[in-house]
Amino acid sequence: NFVSGVAPEFNLAVLRQSFDRDIQIVKPYQKFEIGDFNLKSAPVDHSLPGASAFIGENDEETIVYTGDLRFHGRHPELTHKFIKEARKANPSIMISEGTRIDKEDNVTEIEIEQLAVDTVSMCKGLVVVNYPVRDLDRLLTFYKVAEDTGRKLVVSLKQAYILNLFSGKGYEYPGLGDVMIYKPRKGWGLMGDDSFACVEDEWLCASDITSDQCLRDYKKWERELLENDNVLTYHDLQEDPQDYIFRCDFFELKELIDIKPTNGVYIKSSTEPFDEQMEINEKKVENWLKLFNLPLLNRGFHASGHANGREILEMIRKINPDKLYPVHTTHQDKFLKLQEDGIEVIYPELSG
Protein backbone atom coordinates (compact mmCIF):
# COMPACT_ATOMS: atom_id res chain seq x y z
CA ASN A 1 0.00 0.00 0.00
CA PHE A 2 2.89 2.36 0.66
CA VAL A 3 4.16 1.71 -2.86
CA SER A 4 0.85 2.82 -4.34
CA GLY A 5 0.99 5.99 -2.27
CA VAL A 6 -1.97 5.05 -0.07
CA ALA A 7 -0.92 4.26 3.48
CA PRO A 8 -3.28 2.25 5.73
CA GLU A 9 -4.81 4.42 8.43
CA PHE A 10 -3.39 2.34 11.28
CA ASN A 11 0.13 2.71 9.90
CA LEU A 12 -0.19 6.49 9.80
CA ALA A 13 -1.44 6.43 13.37
CA VAL A 14 1.56 4.36 14.43
CA LEU A 15 3.94 6.75 12.69
CA ARG A 16 2.41 9.73 14.48
CA GLN A 17 2.30 8.05 17.87
CA SER A 18 4.97 8.74 20.49
CA PHE A 19 6.15 5.86 22.63
CA ASP A 20 7.40 5.76 26.20
CA ARG A 21 10.58 3.71 26.42
CA ASP A 22 11.68 2.00 29.61
CA ILE A 23 15.37 2.94 29.56
CA GLN A 24 17.52 1.51 32.34
CA ILE A 25 21.17 2.38 32.86
CA VAL A 26 23.42 -0.69 32.93
CA LYS A 27 26.47 -0.20 35.14
CA PRO A 28 29.66 -2.23 34.61
CA TYR A 29 29.72 -5.55 36.46
CA GLN A 30 26.45 -4.88 38.28
CA LYS A 31 23.80 -7.56 37.80
CA PHE A 32 20.54 -6.97 35.95
CA GLU A 33 17.87 -9.41 34.82
CA ILE A 34 16.43 -10.35 31.44
CA GLY A 35 13.98 -13.22 31.67
CA ASP A 36 15.51 -15.92 33.85
CA PHE A 37 19.08 -14.74 33.21
CA ASN A 38 21.22 -12.64 35.54
CA LEU A 39 23.56 -10.55 33.40
CA LYS A 40 26.59 -8.32 33.91
CA SER A 41 28.05 -5.99 31.28
CA ALA A 42 31.82 -5.89 30.97
CA PRO A 43 33.33 -2.85 29.23
CA VAL A 44 36.00 -3.80 26.68
CA ASP A 45 38.50 -1.99 24.49
CA HIS A 46 37.11 -1.31 21.01
CA SER A 47 37.13 1.41 18.37
CA LEU A 48 33.71 2.67 19.49
CA PRO A 49 33.03 3.96 23.01
CA GLY A 50 30.71 1.94 25.21
CA ALA A 51 31.54 -1.47 23.73
CA SER A 52 30.70 -4.27 26.17
CA ALA A 53 31.00 -7.99 26.61
CA PHE A 54 28.41 -9.81 28.73
CA ILE A 55 28.42 -12.53 31.37
CA GLY A 56 25.07 -14.24 31.95
CA GLU A 57 23.88 -17.10 34.09
CA ASN A 58 20.72 -18.98 35.04
CA ASP A 59 20.07 -22.24 36.83
CA GLU A 60 21.39 -24.30 33.90
CA GLU A 61 24.11 -22.37 32.08
CA THR A 62 26.72 -19.66 32.41
CA ILE A 63 27.26 -17.90 29.11
CA VAL A 64 29.99 -15.43 28.14
CA TYR A 65 29.66 -13.24 25.04
CA THR A 66 32.66 -11.19 23.91
CA GLY A 67 31.00 -8.63 21.65
CA ASP A 68 33.64 -6.79 19.59
CA LEU A 69 36.91 -6.26 21.43
CA ARG A 70 40.63 -5.70 21.06
CA PHE A 71 43.84 -5.42 23.10
CA HIS A 72 45.72 -2.81 21.05
CA GLY A 73 43.57 0.28 21.61
CA ARG A 74 43.95 2.96 24.27
CA HIS A 75 42.38 0.88 27.07
CA PRO A 76 43.45 -2.80 26.87
CA GLU A 77 43.01 -3.04 30.65
CA LEU A 78 39.24 -3.15 30.09
CA THR A 79 39.51 -6.30 27.97
CA HIS A 80 41.92 -7.92 30.41
CA LYS A 81 39.52 -7.31 33.31
CA PHE A 82 36.70 -8.92 31.30
CA ILE A 83 38.83 -12.03 30.75
CA LYS A 84 39.57 -12.26 34.45
CA GLU A 85 35.89 -11.94 35.43
CA ALA A 86 34.72 -14.31 32.69
CA ARG A 87 37.16 -16.99 33.84
CA LYS A 88 35.94 -16.63 37.44
CA ALA A 89 32.37 -17.23 36.20
CA ASN A 90 33.43 -20.72 34.98
CA PRO A 91 31.27 -20.56 31.82
CA SER A 92 29.73 -23.59 30.17
CA ILE A 93 29.23 -21.65 26.91
CA MET A 94 31.24 -18.88 25.27
CA ILE A 95 30.23 -16.91 22.19
CA SER A 96 33.29 -15.25 20.66
CA GLU A 97 33.75 -12.79 17.84
CA GLY A 98 36.32 -13.80 15.20
CA THR A 99 36.53 -10.86 12.80
CA ARG A 100 40.33 -11.08 12.55
CA ILE A 101 40.85 -14.69 13.62
CA ASP A 102 42.93 -15.17 10.44
CA LYS A 103 45.24 -12.21 11.16
CA GLU A 104 48.44 -12.17 13.19
CA ASP A 105 49.38 -8.50 13.38
CA ASN A 106 48.03 -5.26 14.84
CA VAL A 107 48.50 -1.54 14.29
CA THR A 108 48.01 0.42 17.50
CA GLU A 109 46.55 3.89 18.00
CA ILE A 110 49.92 5.03 19.35
CA GLU A 111 51.66 3.84 16.17
CA ILE A 112 49.12 5.73 14.05
CA GLU A 113 49.70 8.85 16.13
CA GLN A 114 53.48 8.68 15.70
CA LEU A 115 53.27 8.04 11.95
CA ALA A 116 50.71 10.82 11.47
CA VAL A 117 52.83 13.35 13.39
CA ASP A 118 55.78 12.64 11.09
CA THR A 119 53.57 12.88 8.00
CA VAL A 120 51.70 16.04 8.99
CA SER A 121 54.92 17.77 10.02
CA MET A 122 56.15 17.53 6.44
CA CYS A 123 52.92 18.85 4.87
CA LYS A 124 52.83 22.54 3.93
CA GLY A 125 49.15 22.66 3.04
CA LEU A 126 45.84 21.28 4.30
CA VAL A 127 45.83 17.81 5.82
CA VAL A 128 42.60 15.99 4.97
CA VAL A 129 41.89 12.84 6.97
CA ASN A 130 39.10 10.28 6.72
CA TYR A 131 38.28 8.15 9.76
CA PRO A 132 34.91 6.67 10.93
CA VAL A 133 32.64 9.34 12.39
CA ARG A 134 31.88 7.31 15.53
CA ASP A 135 35.46 6.23 16.16
CA LEU A 136 36.24 8.69 18.94
CA ASP A 137 39.51 6.93 19.76
CA ARG A 138 40.68 7.87 16.26
CA LEU A 139 39.39 11.40 16.76
CA LEU A 140 41.50 11.56 19.91
CA THR A 141 44.50 10.28 17.96
CA PHE A 142 44.26 13.03 15.34
CA TYR A 143 43.47 15.62 17.99
CA LYS A 144 46.80 14.73 19.60
CA VAL A 145 48.47 14.84 16.17
CA ALA A 146 47.05 18.33 15.62
CA GLU A 147 48.35 19.44 19.02
CA ASP A 148 51.82 18.06 18.32
CA THR A 149 52.05 19.74 14.90
CA GLY A 150 50.63 23.15 15.81
CA ARG A 151 47.34 22.65 14.00
CA LYS A 152 43.65 22.47 14.91
CA LEU A 153 41.44 19.47 14.26
CA VAL A 154 38.34 20.41 12.21
CA VAL A 155 35.31 18.11 12.57
CA SER A 156 31.91 17.94 10.89
CA LEU A 157 28.66 18.97 12.54
CA LYS A 158 27.73 15.31 12.96
CA GLN A 159 30.96 14.43 14.74
CA ALA A 160 30.72 17.57 16.87
CA TYR A 161 27.25 16.44 17.94
CA ILE A 162 28.55 12.98 18.89
CA LEU A 163 31.52 14.49 20.73
CA ASN A 164 29.20 16.74 22.70
CA LEU A 165 27.17 13.72 23.87
CA PHE A 166 30.24 12.38 25.67
CA SER A 167 31.19 15.69 27.28
CA GLY A 168 31.36 15.48 31.08
CA LYS A 169 30.84 11.70 31.11
CA GLY A 170 34.34 10.82 32.29
CA TYR A 171 35.86 10.11 28.88
CA GLU A 172 39.26 11.44 27.80
CA TYR A 173 38.00 12.84 24.50
CA PRO A 174 38.57 16.55 23.79
CA GLY A 175 35.78 18.95 24.61
CA LEU A 176 33.68 20.62 21.97
CA GLY A 177 35.64 23.82 22.48
CA ASP A 178 38.95 22.06 21.82
CA VAL A 179 38.20 21.36 18.16
CA MET A 180 36.99 23.47 15.26
CA ILE A 181 33.52 22.86 13.78
CA TYR A 182 33.16 23.00 10.01
CA LYS A 183 30.11 24.85 8.66
CA PRO A 184 29.24 23.48 5.19
CA ARG A 185 27.13 25.02 2.50
CA LYS A 186 23.61 23.62 2.51
CA GLY A 187 20.62 23.75 0.15
CA TRP A 188 20.60 27.48 -0.53
CA GLY A 189 24.34 27.85 -0.19
CA LEU A 190 23.93 30.68 2.33
CA MET A 191 26.96 31.35 4.47
CA GLY A 192 27.09 35.13 4.65
CA ASP A 193 30.02 35.23 2.24
CA ASP A 194 30.41 37.55 -0.72
CA SER A 195 28.52 35.37 -3.15
CA PHE A 196 24.93 35.51 -4.40
CA ALA A 197 22.16 33.08 -3.48
CA CYS A 198 18.57 32.53 -4.49
CA VAL A 199 16.26 32.85 -1.49
CA GLU A 200 12.56 32.19 -2.06
CA ASP A 201 12.87 32.96 -5.80
CA GLU A 202 14.84 36.15 -5.18
CA TRP A 203 18.55 36.60 -5.82
CA LEU A 204 20.33 38.25 -2.89
CA CYS A 205 23.94 39.26 -2.29
CA ALA A 206 25.74 38.71 1.01
CA SER A 207 24.96 42.18 2.37
CA ASP A 208 21.22 41.51 2.01
CA ILE A 209 21.24 38.09 3.67
CA THR A 210 20.31 37.99 7.36
CA SER A 211 21.67 35.51 9.89
CA ASP A 212 18.19 34.00 10.22
CA GLN A 213 18.12 33.30 6.49
CA CYS A 214 21.54 31.68 6.69
CA LEU A 215 20.38 29.37 9.47
CA ARG A 216 17.31 28.18 7.55
CA ASP A 217 19.59 25.78 5.70
CA TYR A 218 20.44 23.95 8.93
CA LYS A 219 18.55 21.60 11.21
CA LYS A 220 17.81 22.61 14.79
CA TRP A 221 20.59 20.48 16.31
CA GLU A 222 23.02 21.92 13.76
CA ARG A 223 22.02 25.50 14.57
CA GLU A 224 22.81 24.91 18.24
CA LEU A 225 26.34 23.80 17.34
CA LEU A 226 26.80 26.75 15.00
CA GLU A 227 26.29 29.12 17.94
CA ASN A 228 29.78 28.19 19.22
CA ASP A 229 32.73 30.53 18.69
CA ASN A 230 34.90 27.80 17.14
CA VAL A 231 32.98 27.53 13.85
CA LEU A 232 34.78 28.00 10.54
CA THR A 233 34.02 27.73 6.81
CA TYR A 234 35.84 26.85 3.63
CA HIS A 235 37.24 30.40 3.59
CA ASP A 236 39.34 29.62 6.68
CA LEU A 237 40.66 26.34 5.29
CA GLN A 238 41.42 28.08 2.01
CA GLU A 239 43.26 31.03 3.54
CA ASP A 240 45.26 29.20 6.26
CA PRO A 241 45.41 25.52 5.24
CA GLN A 242 48.63 24.92 7.18
CA ASP A 243 46.74 25.55 10.44
CA TYR A 244 44.27 22.69 10.18
CA ILE A 245 43.64 18.95 9.95
CA PHE A 246 40.28 18.58 8.21
CA ARG A 247 38.29 15.42 8.96
CA CYS A 248 36.48 14.66 5.68
CA ASP A 249 34.68 11.42 4.87
CA PHE A 250 33.28 10.12 1.58
CA PHE A 251 30.10 12.21 1.83
CA GLU A 252 32.01 15.42 2.57
CA LEU A 253 34.44 15.28 -0.35
CA LYS A 254 32.27 17.83 -2.16
CA GLU A 255 33.55 20.41 0.33
CA LEU A 256 36.87 20.31 -1.50
CA ILE A 257 35.20 22.13 -4.41
CA ASP A 258 34.99 25.25 -2.24
CA ILE A 259 38.17 24.68 -0.26
CA LYS A 260 40.37 24.11 -3.34
CA PRO A 261 43.28 22.59 -1.38
CA THR A 262 46.86 22.98 -2.62
CA ASN A 263 50.06 21.31 -1.38
CA GLY A 264 47.93 19.08 0.84
CA VAL A 265 47.64 15.36 1.56
CA TYR A 266 44.76 12.93 2.13
CA ILE A 267 45.22 10.42 4.95
CA LYS A 268 42.91 7.42 4.84
CA SER A 269 42.49 6.15 8.40
CA SER A 270 39.70 3.63 7.87
CA THR A 271 39.28 -0.02 6.96
CA GLU A 272 39.93 -1.35 3.47
CA PRO A 273 36.84 -2.06 1.32
CA PHE A 274 35.37 -5.52 1.86
CA ASP A 275 32.34 -5.52 -0.44
CA GLU A 276 31.46 -4.36 -3.94
CA GLN A 277 29.84 -1.07 -2.93
CA MET A 278 32.83 -0.11 -0.78
CA GLU A 279 35.15 -0.85 -3.71
CA ILE A 280 33.04 1.40 -5.94
CA ASN A 281 33.17 4.18 -3.34
CA GLU A 282 36.93 3.73 -3.03
CA LYS A 283 37.34 4.31 -6.75
CA LYS A 284 35.20 7.45 -6.50
CA VAL A 285 37.42 8.76 -3.71
CA GLU A 286 40.51 8.18 -5.84
CA ASN A 287 38.94 10.19 -8.67
CA TRP A 288 38.15 13.07 -6.30
CA LEU A 289 41.73 13.09 -5.04
CA LYS A 290 43.13 13.12 -8.57
CA LEU A 291 40.90 16.10 -9.35
CA PHE A 292 42.43 18.08 -6.48
CA ASN A 293 45.92 16.59 -6.80
CA LEU A 294 45.84 15.26 -3.24
CA PRO A 295 48.28 12.38 -2.60
CA LEU A 296 46.58 9.38 -0.98
CA LEU A 297 48.32 8.02 2.13
CA ASN A 298 46.78 4.80 3.42
CA ARG A 299 49.57 2.65 4.82
CA GLY A 300 49.68 2.23 8.59
CA PHE A 301 46.97 4.76 9.47
CA HIS A 302 44.22 2.37 10.58
CA ALA A 303 43.92 0.32 13.77
CA SER A 304 41.23 -2.35 13.76
CA GLY A 305 38.61 -2.53 16.46
CA HIS A 306 39.15 -6.29 16.69
CA ALA A 307 41.79 -8.56 18.24
CA ASN A 308 43.96 -10.77 16.03
CA GLY A 309 43.79 -14.55 15.89
CA ARG A 310 46.50 -15.27 18.43
CA GLU A 311 44.90 -12.92 20.95
CA ILE A 312 41.42 -14.36 20.43
CA LEU A 313 42.55 -17.98 20.92
CA GLU A 314 44.63 -17.06 23.98
CA MET A 315 41.62 -15.23 25.46
CA ILE A 316 39.34 -18.24 24.95
CA ARG A 317 41.89 -20.61 26.48
CA LYS A 318 42.17 -18.39 29.57
CA ILE A 319 38.39 -18.20 30.01
CA ASN A 320 38.20 -21.97 29.31
CA PRO A 321 34.52 -22.59 28.48
CA ASP A 322 33.12 -26.07 27.87
CA LYS A 323 31.69 -25.03 24.49
CA LEU A 324 32.70 -22.30 22.08
CA TYR A 325 30.43 -20.76 19.42
CA PRO A 326 32.36 -18.57 16.93
CA VAL A 327 30.41 -15.64 15.42
CA HIS A 328 31.16 -12.57 13.30
CA THR A 329 33.72 -14.44 11.20
CA THR A 330 34.27 -15.97 7.78
CA HIS A 331 37.05 -18.23 9.10
CA GLN A 332 35.30 -20.34 11.72
CA ASP A 333 37.64 -23.26 10.99
CA LYS A 334 40.46 -21.33 12.68
CA PHE A 335 38.74 -22.01 16.02
CA LEU A 336 38.96 -25.81 15.65
CA LYS A 337 42.45 -25.96 17.19
CA LEU A 338 40.75 -25.14 20.53
CA GLN A 339 39.47 -28.73 20.57
CA GLU A 340 43.04 -29.78 21.41
CA ASP A 341 42.48 -27.93 24.70
CA GLY A 342 39.25 -29.80 25.45
CA ILE A 343 36.97 -26.97 24.29
CA GLU A 344 34.14 -28.18 22.04
CA VAL A 345 33.77 -25.87 19.00
CA ILE A 346 30.22 -25.63 17.64
CA TYR A 347 29.33 -23.71 14.49
CA PRO A 348 26.08 -21.74 14.92
CA GLU A 349 23.35 -22.58 12.41
CA LEU A 350 20.23 -20.72 11.35
CA SER A 351 17.11 -22.42 12.66
CA GLY A 352 13.70 -22.66 11.04
Side-chain angles (χ1 to χ4, degrees), residues 44-297:
V44 292
D45 186 28
H46 184 49
S47 54
L48 304 183
S52 291
F54 289 90
I55 303 170
E57 58 183 9
N58 63 9
D59 294 337
E60 299 177 359
E61 306 276 10
T62 298
I63 301 175
V64 168
Y65 171 53
T66 66
D68 292 339
L69 48 69
R70 64 180 178 181
F71 298 84
H72 57 275
R74 294 190 176 274
H75 293 286
E77 72 278 1
L78 295 177
T79 306
H80 287 298
K81 181 176 181 180
F82 155 66
I83 294 173
K84 181 179 178 181
E85 296 298 322
R87 179 178 176 83
K88 284 166 53 178
N90 193 26
S92 52
I93 294 174
M94 181 173 180
I95 303 169
S96 174
E97 75 123 315
T99 307
R100 299 179 66 242
I101 189 69
D102 61 321
K103 306 298 182 184
E104 298 182 357
D105 59 344
N106 290 320
V107 174
T108 70
E109 292 294 334
I110 302 302
E111 289 172 333
I112 293 174
E113 184 179 334
Q114 293 170 343
L115 177 60
V117 166
D118 293 340
T119 302
V120 173
S121 296
M122 294 186 292
C123 181
K124 297 180 180 179
L126 181 67
V127 174
V128 182
V129 60
N130 178 16
Y131 57 83
V133 69
R134 293 180 296 169
D135 189 344
L136 297 189
D137 271 14
R138 193 64 44 77
L139 177 147
L140 178 59
T141 293
F142 278 96
Y143 172 74
K144 290 177 177 289
V145 171
E147 276 193 322
D148 290 344
T149 56
R151 295 179 180 238
K152 282 284 190 178
L153 179 62
V154 183
V155 302
S156 66
L157 286 165
K158 183 180 292 186
Q159 188 161 66
Y161 179 83
I162 295 173
L163 192 61
N164 196 41
L165 292 177
F166 286 86
S167 178
K169 302 293 192 303
Y171 290 87
E172 60 182 325
Y173 307 131
L176 200 58
D178 298 320
V179 298
M180 305 301 290
I181 302 173
Y182 183 75
K183 179 182 179 182
R185 288 181 186 266
K186 289 290 187 121
W188 286 341
L190 301 178
M191 296 183 65
D193 58 16
D194 50 0
S195 63
F196 287 82
C198 185
V199 181
E200 298 176 350
D201 298 325
E202 180 182 359
W203 281 95
L204 300 174
C205 67
S207 60
D208 297 321
I209 298 173
T210 67
S211 59
D212 286 342
Q213 287 172 323
C214 288
L215 288 175
R216 289 183 197 177
D217 268 354
Y218 301 90
K219 297 176 182 178
K220 182 179 178 181
W221 66 267
E222 293 176 319
R223 296 176 193 176
E224 294 173 354
L225 291 169
L226 292 175
E227 293 174 356
N228 289 278
D229 295 331
N230 55 329
V231 174
L232 48 67
T233 70
Y234 72 89
H235 283 299
D236 302 285
L237 301 186
Q238 196 178 76
E239 293 175 2
D240 300 297
Q242 72 283 350
D243 292 343
Y244 303 107
I245 296 177
F246 177 49
R247 189 261 169 195
C248 175
D249 67 17
F250 175 76
F251 299 101
E252 294 161 344
L253 283 169
K254 63 183 182 300
E255 300 301 327
L256 300 180
I257 296 173
D258 286 330
I259 297 169
K260 298 179 177 62
T262 57
N263 300 318
V265 295
Y266 178 92
I267 297 175
K268 180 187 174 186
S269 186
S270 58
T271 187
E272 293 300 311
F274 52 79
D275 60 32
E276 185 177 1
Q277 185 57 54
M278 291 180 70
E279 291 175 357
I280 292 172
N281 290 346
E282 190 84 349
K283 188 63 179 177
K284 291 179 180 179
V285 170
E286 292 174 4
N287 289 335
W288 274 95
L289 300 183
K290 287 179 182 177
L291 178 64
F292 293 102
N293 196 29
L294 281 176
L296 170 61
L297 307 179

